[in-house]
Amino acid sequence: PVLTLQGQGGGPAADLLRFARQASVRPRVGAALEPVHITGPSALKLSARIPLAPDQPNTLQASVQLAGNDLRLQPDVPALLGARGSIEFGPQGLAVRGVTGRWLGGDASFDGSIGNDGALRVGAMGVASADALRQWTPLARFAAPLRGQAAWRGTLNAVDGRSDLLLQSNLVGMQIDLPPPLAKPAATALPLRLQLSPLAGAGTRDSLQIELGDVLKAQFQRESSATDTRVLRGSVALLDA
């Protein structure tokens, strides 16, 4: 026999997330959720299964419903504005399902999870504007010559406070104001691959890799502080078509 309990409530999303984190997930999942920040009101749904037989584990499921909240997954990643969808907790960890909102200046959708190993894995797609890219410190210099907006897709993997970000786009709709061969009108496709990864054993250092079709391949090792990011070393390969 099993006793099943269900409940629901409402209040500040940050408080509901804290309750769900403490009540329904394992320690490494809870630790991975520490950087997650949500603003605004939200609703919480709970479901508990309590076996009446001895030596049987209890099972608790929780869901935080987002209804226009601002959601930030990592301190160094821009917030998802006006987020709608659900964050679900259970024995297997956490799942973000069908969450939509505004990110990098355009509409975006996210799906992801935090497993019991504490690793955050997120897949996303949407539209980004050049203006919004320039406001994100790690990409500000790269985005300086860009104009317009373009569709993108990407992944974010984070574990132990270190993030690996991959963004890809065909840049249709984005103009590049640089001398040839890097110049590009908005209507032309030019595949972009951008990856930002932490360097092993260097807490404030990362690697930025940029590939722009067959025209440009660049890699930079950088060091970030609270106020600035500087390039320590790098290499650029440019093909003049």
Side-chain angles (χ1 to χ4, degrees), residues 13-219:
D15 292 343
L16 298 182
L17 179 64
R18 186 180 306 111
F19 172 79
R21 180 174 64 230
Q22 295 173 347
S24 60
V25 297
R26 297 185 179 183
R28 292 208 66 182
V29 180
L33 283 172
E34 287 297 332
V36 177
H37 180 70
I38 305 179
T39 64
S42 186
L44 174 69
K45 295 182 180 180
L46 288 173
S47 176
R49 291 174 55 85
I50 306 173
L52 301 181
D55 302 325
Q56 296 295 315
N58 299 333
T59 301
L60 182 63
Q61 304 276 353
S63 174
V64 175
Q65 304 297 314
L66 305 177
N69 306 82
D70 291 347
L71 170 65
R72 189 184 299 274
L73 296 178
Q74 295 283 310
D76 56 350
V77 176
L80 178 66
L81 305 178
R84 295 184 179 276
S86 66
I87 303 176
E88 301 176 4
F89 306 81
Q92 303 304 315
L94 171 148
V96 175
R97 303 188 186 280
V99 172
T100 62
R102 298 278 297 178
W103 195 66
L104 295 181
D107 293 335
S109 62
F110 290 76
D111 289 278
S113 65
I114 299 178
N116 287 326
D117 59 355
L120 169 68
R121 302 174 180 90
V122 176
M125 62 187 300
V127 174
S129 72
D131 288 342
L133 290 172
R134 282 190 287 272
Q135 295 174 24
W136 189 3
T137 300
L139 303 183
R141 292 180 181 176
F142 163 76
L146 303 182
R147 302 290 182 270
Q149 61 181 22
W152 60 270
R153 57 189 174 90
T155 60
L156 171 66
N157 297 307
V159 61
D160 296 330
R162 296 169 66 81
S163 302
D164 190 317
L165 176 70
L166 173 64
L167 293 175
Q168 298 181 82
S169 173
N170 62 12
L171 293 185
V172 172
M174 192 81 75
Q175 177 177 320
I176 303 179
D177 292 334
L178 287 173
L182 297 177
K184 185 189 87 67
T188 302
L190 184 62
L192 168 70
R193 185 181 188 276
L194 185 150
Q195 186 164 14
L196 189 63
S197 306
L199 291 176
T204 61
R205 296 185 179 184
D206 59 33
S207 171
L208 175 62
Q209 299 180 49
I210 302 171
E211 296 181 8
L212 195 58
D214 295 327
V215 176
L216 173 72
K217 296 184 185 298
Q219 180 170 340

